[in-house]
Structure formats: C-alpha cells, structure tokens
C-alpha cells in the first residue's frame, strides 16, 4: 500500500482538499426568532455531505469509486477504519461546516467544487464555500500543515460576496436586508427574503416532526414568568489539542484514523451529554416555583459548539451538570486513568444570556457568546491554568452570565464598564465563575476562590431564605451596591442594627487590585434561579 501511495504522490495524482463554510454563525443567528435559528442549524447540519453527494452524482461517479462515510452504521456509533485506495473520492472527515477529502486529481477537485458551491448557494442563499488543496505526499503532517496555511490564505483573500441587494424601489426584509420576494407560510403572510423562506421551510418540515413547532408557547407561562436563557457552550482548546495529536504523524493511515477517532469522540461525547442533560432537567409534568415548567431546546449541537434555549431558572445548573459530565470523558480512546483524563479530558466554557421571551434572539446569542469569551479569558489566565508535564496546558470549566435589559447589552465590555463600576471605583461583578468537577485536571487550586460556582449557589440559597434576610432588603443590597461605597456602608449599618446578617461580615474583597462587591452577583441573579432554591427546600424536606 505504501508503494502505491508513493507512486500516486510522485505522479501528482492525488490531492488533499479542505472545505470550510463561511458565515455559519451569522447565518444561523441572524434572526429575532429562535425557531428560525433552529431551522437554519438543521440546514447546516449536513450541508457539506449533501453537496458532495450531489456533485458526485452529477459527475456520474459510481458508488464503488467513492468512499464518503467515515463513521459506521445509522447511529454512527463507531469509526470506519481508513485505508488509502484508488477510489476517485475519499472523505477523511466531514462535519460541523468542515471537511477533508482526497481526490484522484486536481481536475476532479475543481469540477466538484463548482457543483458544491452552486448547491450551497441554492440551498442556503447566502453562504460561501471556501476550498483549498495540496498534493498528497508520503508525509501527512507536512500536507496537513501546508493545507491549513493555504486555507488561511484563501479565507483572508476571499471576497465576501453576497446575494444581490435590494434596489431603492424594492421592499426589503429588515432582519437580513435582502429583497422581500416571498410570502411567509404562517397566518401573518408577511413578505420575507429567500434566505428566510429557506430556513422556514426546513424548520416547518423538521421541527414539526419533532413536535417542537410551538415549544416556547407551550412552556412559558405568560403573565407569570417568561424568563428564558440562551446558553452557548464551547470546548476548551479543542483545535489546538487535536492538532497536537496528529501534526507530527507522517503516516496517512495512522493520522487519519487518529483524527477520525478524536472527531468521533468529541461529537459523541458532547451530543450524548447534551441529551443526558436534557433528560435530567426537562420535565413537562413537573412544575416548580410559580407554576413554571422546565424545558431545554437545542438550537445547534455541532461537535463542541453547542447552543440551546432553556428556562432561565435551570440555566446555571444545566451548565454545571454539563461541566461535571464532560470532565470525565476524553478525546482519545485510552484507559480512563487520572493521568489520561488530565491529559486528554474535556472541559468547557459557557455563556448565558437571560432574556424575556420576546427579546431579539440574535442579540441574545451575541451576549451569550460574549459571556463565553469572557469565561475563556478567565480560564486562560496564567494563575488559573495547569501546566502538564507532557507539555501543553489544561484549563478548567468556567461560566459567565448576563441579564439582558436592552439590546445595548450586546456590547458586553462597554456595558460592564459603564454599568457595573461604582462612582467610588468598586467593581460589582465577581463573575466569571469556576465550576469545580470530580475530574479537575490538577485545577483544584481554583476551588474555594471567590469565583467558585459552589459559593455563588450557596449565596443564592442564603439570600432566598427570608430567615436570613427579607427579600426587599436583598433588592436594596443589589440596588445600593451600584451607588458606591458610602451608600452601601450606610445600608450595611442599618441591616446590622436590625440583626440581619450577610453570608459574611464584609461587603467587598480585593480581586486583581480592585475592591469587588461580594454579594451583587447573587443578589442580581437570585430571582432567575428558583431551581437552585427549590433544590435547597427539597433537601431540607428530605
């Protein structure tokens, strides 16, 4: 096999191609409606495979001349072993808007690209396909490195072409800016763009099959509590860590099989944990608090990139559950020893945007993504990371959150600088929070700090118990903190004179050289976490 492989390489026959769909995030989330985003994510889910199949069909490539599957069976529970062959088309990996494919010749690569690009435009209206290729040599890591560099160059130079915009005499759709040329299929019959029509068609077909068409209407009690949360989860250092496993492997078969197994493990782990989390927290029959039902609805689960919508009161605990469950799983199929989990185990960062049921979804997603980025920033600080003996580093599970009061909150850094700093120079926020788990990769040094999620939960529970402090005084603490140190000292003296106690006998503590409010986070988020306070009541009853 190596001889045939080398012969093909020297003859210049085989090429290794990489595909990347550009603009996926904007495409999915460019809508004020959650269900439209769900429809868009369903389109993206397998668009590359569908485009490649269509291209092979149009070029009359026979089934025996191509190998498009990299996982086995309908449930895709196992990885299919890779062999270098003389087939015209061999998929190495495909999923999440990316693909690696080997073609027998540059001409075939170009012809397939033309058909795939057209297919993606026709079926999405506005997405673009970026493609790059290199000649296959006998050293995988050289080809892989050259291909990545070429793709970076292609994307840097690629013109951001868009569909024809609306002329001055044409009606436009506000959400996309595209011509409003079709009529929505719902009872409102509003004019919509072609892009939105495609998303609605997919949503109507697939989501109705799942009986999720009116999930928000079914789960939110209007007039009582319409708080929901948009949660964005992202795996930590995934691309870098995958690259570490394959970048120095010269043999194609070994490298591709390693990449396939890692990709499969990531896909399976993150999807399975999401499904388990959904089963754990969603209960249509069980109600809590003020007649509020729990729900979890997927927007997108693509590898380690996950976005879902849930009832606000369970959002923080869904992230804690996800962190705990994912931390014991690994990207490679090795024995689950503590050392292997430390080296290969997963961890995540998450962002939560708390919104009302009619808040624009695109803005909510931007806030959740910004909170996730904030959590990653905290996780990657030198004092919070753990250096590994084998090289590299591990970072822990962190979460950040934001209550969205208006659309300006999407500028998260600006909002926090302007609204969460007091006139006397204190910072109101401790967040992001570190989530301790059973497998902490040597990061137990972060447990017990002020930004330990366990402490936040405990403070929420204490503030929720009116034996400790009346609810009206908790709100006074939240509101007075923002006025500055002097007003807060006055309130604190009043509470002490009435024998009411805070969880700790102080108001501030220094974090990174700045006096930081100890109780603001818990006071602000308390009303959004009835699930946490209910858990306390259930434990007390038991």
């Amino acid at each position: 096999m190596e001889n045939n492989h080398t012969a093909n390489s020297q003859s210049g026959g085989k090429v290794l191609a990489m595909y990347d769909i550009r603009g996926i995030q904007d495409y999915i989330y460019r809508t004020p409606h959650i269900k439209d985003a769900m429809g868009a994510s369903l389109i993206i889910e397998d668009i590359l495979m569908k485009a490649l199949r269509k291209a092979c069909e149009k070029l009359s490539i026979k089934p025996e001349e191509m190998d498009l599957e990299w996982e086995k069976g309908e449930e895709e529970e196992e990885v299919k072993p890779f062999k270098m062959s003389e087939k015209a088309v061999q998929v190495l990996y495909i999923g999440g808007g990316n693909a690696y494919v080997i073609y027998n010749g540059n001409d075939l690569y170009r012809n397939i690209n033309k058909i795939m690009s057209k297919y993606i435009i026709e079926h999405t209206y506005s997405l673009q396909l970026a493609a790059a290729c290199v000649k296959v040599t006998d050293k995988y890591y050289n080809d892989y490195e050259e291909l990545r560099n070429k793709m970076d160059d292609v994307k840097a130079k690629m013109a951001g072409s868009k569909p024809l915009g609306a002329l001055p005499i044409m009606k436009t759709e506000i959400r996309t800016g595209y011509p409003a040329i079709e009529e929505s299929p719902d009872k409102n019959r509003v004019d919509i763009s072609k892009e939105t029509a495609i998303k609605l068609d997919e949503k109507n077909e697939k989501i109705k099959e799942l009986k999720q068409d009116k999930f928000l209407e079914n789960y939110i009690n209007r007039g009582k509590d319409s708080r929901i949360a948009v949660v964005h989860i992202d795996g930590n250092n995934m691309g870098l860590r995958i690259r570490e496993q394959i970048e120095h492997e010269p043999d194609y078969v070994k490298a591709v099989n390693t990449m396939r197994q890692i990709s499969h493990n990531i896909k399976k782990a993150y999807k399975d944990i999401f499904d388990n989390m959904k089963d754990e927290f969603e209960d249509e029959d069980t109600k809590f608090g003020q007649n509020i039902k729990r729900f979890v609805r997927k927007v997108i689960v693509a590898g380690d990139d996950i976005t879902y919508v849930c009832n606000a009161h369970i959002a923080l605990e869904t992230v804690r559950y996800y962190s705990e469950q994912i931390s014991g799983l690994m990207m490679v199929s090795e024995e689950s020893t503590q050392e292997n989990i430390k080296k290969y185990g997963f961890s995540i960062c998450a962002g939560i945007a708390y919104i009302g049921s009619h808040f624009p979804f695109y803005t909510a997603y931007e806030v959740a993504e910004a909170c996730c980025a904030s959590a990653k920033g905290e996780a990657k600080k030198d004092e919070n990371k753990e250096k590994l003996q084998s090289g590299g580093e591990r970072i822990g599970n962190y979460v950040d959150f934001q209550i969205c009061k208006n659309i300006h909150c999407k500028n998260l850094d600006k909002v926090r600088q302007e609204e969460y700093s007091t006139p006397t120079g204190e910072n109101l926020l401790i967040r992001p929070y570190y989530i301790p788990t059973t497998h902490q990769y040597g990061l137990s040094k972060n447990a017990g700090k002020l930004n330990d999620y366990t402490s936040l939960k405990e403070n929420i529970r204490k503030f929720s118990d009116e034996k400790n402090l009346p609810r009206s005084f908790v709100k006074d603490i939240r509101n007075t903190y923002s006025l500055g140190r002097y007003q807060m000292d006055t309130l604190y003296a009043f509470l002490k004179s009435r024998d009411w106690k805070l969880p700790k006998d102080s108001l501030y503590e220094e974090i990174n050289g700045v006096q930081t409010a100890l109780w603001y986070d818990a006071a602000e988020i308390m009303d959004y976490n009835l699930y946490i306070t209910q858990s306390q009541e259930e434990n007390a009853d038991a």
Side-chain angles (χ1 to χ4, degrees):
M1 184 178 294
E2 281 190 19
N3 290 337
N4 289 338
H5 175 196
T6 305
N8 279 326
S9 303
Q10 290 173 346
S11 65
K14 291 184 181 296
V15 295
L16 173 63
M18 178 183 179
Y19 294 104
D20 190 350
I21 296 181
R22 305 198 68 194
I24 286 180
Q25 297 292 88
D26 279 345
Y27 184 79
I28 292 175
Y29 300 110
R30 185 170 51 229
T31 173
H33 304 299
I34 296 170
K35 287 179 290 183
D36 292 353
M38 293 171 74
S41 71
L42 289 168
I43 293 170
I44 299 301
E45 220 165 68
D46 55 1
I47 189 74
L48 271 176
M49 180 60 84
K50 287 181 177 178
L52 182 57
R53 286 189 185 280
K54 177 56 97 177
C56 291
E57 179 188 316
K58 285 213 164 192
L59 293 174
S60 301
I61 299 174
K62 297 175 184 177
E64 60 269 21
E65 295 176 331
M66 55 184 176
D67 186 5
L68 305 186
E69 304 297 337
W70 66 279
E71 291 177 303
K72 289 182 182 177
E74 291 184 7
E75 298 299 320
E76 298 177 341
E77 288 294 319
E78 293 182 50
V79 172
K80 186 177 177 182
F82 171 74
K83 294 180 184 177
M84 188 68 77
S85 74
E86 294 307 310
K87 291 185 178 182
V89 182
Q90 274 191 286
V91 168
L92 306 189
Y93 162 78
I94 191 165
N98 293 280
Y100 293 88
V101 187
I102 288 179
Y103 295 111
N104 264 353
N106 204 50
D107 289 342
L108 177 59
Y109 160 75
R110 283 199 297 265
N111 290 333
I112 281 191
N113 286 359
K114 291 175 186 176
I115 300 169
M116 286 180 68
S117 296
K118 183 180 179 184
Y119 181 94
I120 287 169
I121 290 172
E122 288 175 344
H123 288 81
T124 68
Y125 187 69
S126 60
L127 288 178
Q128 287 182 278
L129 180 67
C133 81
V134 296
K135 287 184 179 181
V136 170
T137 71
D138 57 356
K139 287 187 171 57
Y140 177 81
Y141 63 77
N142 287 351
D143 297 352
Y144 178 79
E145 193 66 31
E146 185 184 355
L147 185 60
R148 297 281 302 186
N149 291 336
K150 268 199 172 184
M151 177 56 81
D152 289 343
D153 193 48
V154 166
K155 292 198 298 194
K157 295 178 180 177
M158 191 174 180
S161 61
K162 292 183 179 180
L164 180 66
L167 299 172
I169 58 172
M170 297 173 69
K171 185 175 183 179
T172 60
E173 182 187 51
I174 294 174
R175 73 184 78 168
T176 62
Y178 296 144
I181 58 174
E182 297 200 19
E183 194 175 66
S184 66
D186 56 29
K187 63 183 179 182
N188 297 324
R189 296 293 176 187
V190 297
D191 293 327
I192 58 176
S193 69
K194 180 67 176 176
E195 179 185 289
T196 301
I198 290 171
K199 293 177 183 178
L200 288 174
D201 286 344
E202 189 74 14
K203 180 265 295 184
N204 290 337
E205 179 182 343
K206 295 284 180 68
I207 296 178
K208 278 184 179 176
E209 291 175 11
L210 301 172
K211 298 181 180 178
Q212 294 180 4
D213 190 48
K214 294 186 176 181
F215 73 89
L216 283 180
E217 290 85 343
N218 291 338
Y219 286 91
I220 293 173
N221 287 291
R222 297 185 181 183
K224 290 189 176 179
D225 196 310
S226 61
R227 295 183 179 118
I228 61 177
V230 177
V231 184
H232 178 63
I233 289 175
D234 193 21
N236 290 329
N237 287 347
M238 296 302 286
L240 177 63
R241 295 172 66 210
I242 293 171
R243 195 169 178 177
E244 286 173 355
Q245 304 305 315
I246 60 175
E247 65 180 347
H248 298 302
E249 176 56 65
D251 184 82
Y252 256 82
V253 173
K254 288 182 181 178
V256 172
N257 282 327
T258 300
M259 182 176 72
R260 283 184 172 184
Q261 191 63 58
I262 290 173
S263 300
H264 172 78
N265 290 349
I266 292 169
K267 175 183 168 184
K268 180 172 172 52
Y270 279 78
K271 180 183 180 300
D272 286 353
I273 298 299
F274 177 83
D275 292 340
N276 294 343
M277 180 266 290
K278 189 173 184 296
D279 291 340
E280 176 77 12
F281 285 91
E282 183 177 78
D283 189 339
E284 295 184 11
D285 300 320
T286 302
K287 301 175 182 180
F288 64 94
Q290 302 243 324
N291 205 28
I292 303 161
K293 292 183 179 181
R294 306 181 223 169
F295 67 89
V296 177
R297 284 294 179 265
K298 176 184 84 170
V299 177
I300 185 170
V301 176
D304 67 320
D305 184 0
I306 294 173
T307 302
Y308 58 93
V309 181
C310 65
N311 180 280
H313 298 285
I314 62 174
L316 273 170
E317 279 295 277
T318 63
V319 173
R320 181 207 57 76
Y321 177 92
Y322 207 103
S323 300
E324 176 62 46
Q325 297 299 314
I326 205 75
S327 68
L329 302 178
M330 299 185 295
M331 68 194 315
V332 298
S333 301
E334 299 282 351
E335 184 185 352
S336 296
T337 64
Q338 209 44 40
E339 189 59 35
N340 281 340
I341 290 174
K342 183 175 179 180
K343 186 176 180 181
Y344 302 115
F346 297 117
S347 68
I348 63 166
C349 283
I352 303 173
Y354 291 100
I355 61 174
S357 59
H358 299 292
F359 193 86
F361 178 67
Y362 180 60
T363 301
Y365 170 74
E366 286 186 309
V367 174
E369 191 178 42
C371 285
C372 186
S374 169
K376 280 184 178 287
E378 184 69 19
K380 291 179 179 180
K381 288 181 178 178
D382 287 340
E383 63 267 27
N384 296 330
K385 293 188 295 191
E386 174 72 9
K387 298 289 184 182
L388 300 178
Q389 289 182 353
S390 57
E393 58 194 24
R394 292 309 311 274
I395 62 177
N397 303 279
Y398 281 79
V399 62
D400 198 350
F401 52 86
Q402 182 69 29
I403 297 172
C404 299
K405 299 168 185 173
N406 54 58
I407 61 171
H408 300 297
C409 62
K410 66 182 180 181
N411 300 314
L412 190 66
D413 289 340
K414 184 177 180 182
V415 165
R416 288 186 169 179
Q417 186 177 2
E418 292 177 353
E419 298 183 17
Y420 292 88
S421 296
T422 73
T424 47
E426 294 81 31
N427 177 25
L428 297 182
L429 305 181
I430 294 175
R431 66 188 88 153
Y433 283 87
Y434 170 73
I435 303 175
T437 59
T438 303
H439 303 285
Q440 299 195 75
Y441 326 110
L443 293 166
S444 54
K445 62 183 181 181
N446 295 323
K449 291 182 179 179
L450 287 177
N451 67 335
D452 185 329
Y453 175 68
T454 309
S455 300
L456 175 66
K457 278 177 65 174
E458 188 61 30
N459 293 336
I460 289 171
R461 286 172 172 164
K462 286 179 178 177
F463 279 152
S464 300
D465 187 348
E466 296 213 13
K467 295 176 184 176
N468 297 322
L469 201 66
R471 198 173 195 80
S472 60
F473 287 158
V474 176
K475 292 181 178 179
D476 285 342
I477 288 172
R478 179 195 65 196
N479 296 334
T480 307
Y481 253 130
S482 60
L483 300 178
R485 184 96 190 212
Y486 306 123
Q487 286 87 339
M488 197 62 202
D489 285 343
T490 302
L491 175 62
Y492 185 42
F494 169 77
L495 294 176
K496 289 182 73 173
S497 72
R498 298 296 189 272
D499 288 329
W500 297 113
K501 295 180 180 178
L502 292 173
K504 186 178 177 182
D505 193 23
S506 58
L507 296 173
Y508 302 93
E509 196 153 321
E510 187 174 302
I511 300 177
N512 297 325
V514 179
Q515 289 295 309
T516 303
L518 288 177
W519 317 118
Y520 184 87
D521 278 344
E524 185 188 46
I525 209 72
M526 182 182 71
D527 288 340
Y528 289 78
N529 282 277
L530 296 184
Y531 182 82
I532 290 176
T533 57
Q534 183 208 31
S535 299
Q536 173 182 262
E537 291 166 5
E538 288 177 351
N539 291 335
D541 293 339

